[in-house]
């Protein structure tokens, strides 16, 4: 039982360390989010639903590409704990 508790505590510590990004990676991700927000605002003003959907899809792609670039900068493409389904370390 004690071994299980120690393993759990160690895992939580590693997850916490792995969720950190460098300042440069944060800037890349923030820029992508800003671009995605601008596209979403344009989507809100789109005259047709098809244009709105296309802009929203483009916004999603820009944000995803920014996250991927930021992750690659810090961990050479490893999956961050915040990207593992079932964890709650995502920031909003």
């Amino acid at each position: 039982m004690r071994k299980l508790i120690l393993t759990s505590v160690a895992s939580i510590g590693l997850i916490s360390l792995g969720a950190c990004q460098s300042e440069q990676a944060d800037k890349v991700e923030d820029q992508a989010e800003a671009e995605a927000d601008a596209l979403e605002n344009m989507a809100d003003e789109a005259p047709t639903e098809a244009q709105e959907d296309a802009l929203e899809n483009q916004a999603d792609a820009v944000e995803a590409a920014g996250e991927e670039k930021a992750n690659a900068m810090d961990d050479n493409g490893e999956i961050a704990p915040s990207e593992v389904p079932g964890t709650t370390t995502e920031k909003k």
Side-chain angles (χ1 to χ4, degrees):
M1 180 72 162
R2 181 177 177 178
K3 196 175 202 179
L4 177 64
I5 292 171
L6 291 175
T7 303
S8 297
V9 170
S11 296
I12 291 169
L14 289 175
I15 289 172
S16 297
L17 289 174
C20 297
Q21 282 188 324
S22 69
E23 190 173 321
Q24 185 179 13
D26 281 341
K27 287 180 182 180
V28 167
E29 197 167 1
D30 289 345
Q31 178 63 33
E33 288 176 9
E35 290 177 30
D37 287 345
L39 287 166
E40 288 172 354
N41 289 337
M42 290 171 56
D44 290 341
E45 302 297 322
T48 67
E49 191 169 331
Q51 288 174 328
E52 180 180 358
D53 290 343
L55 287 166
E56 287 176 352
N57 290 337
Q58 188 177 357
D60 291 342
V62 166
E63 191 166 2
E67 289 177 9
E68 288 298 318
K69 185 174 180 180
N71 289 341
M73 292 172 73
D74 282 340
D75 57 20
N76 297 322
E78 294 175 15
I79 297 174
S82 61
E83 297 174 327
V84 176
T87 62
T88 58
T89 59
E90 292 181 24
K91 63 179 182 178
K92 296 279 178 176

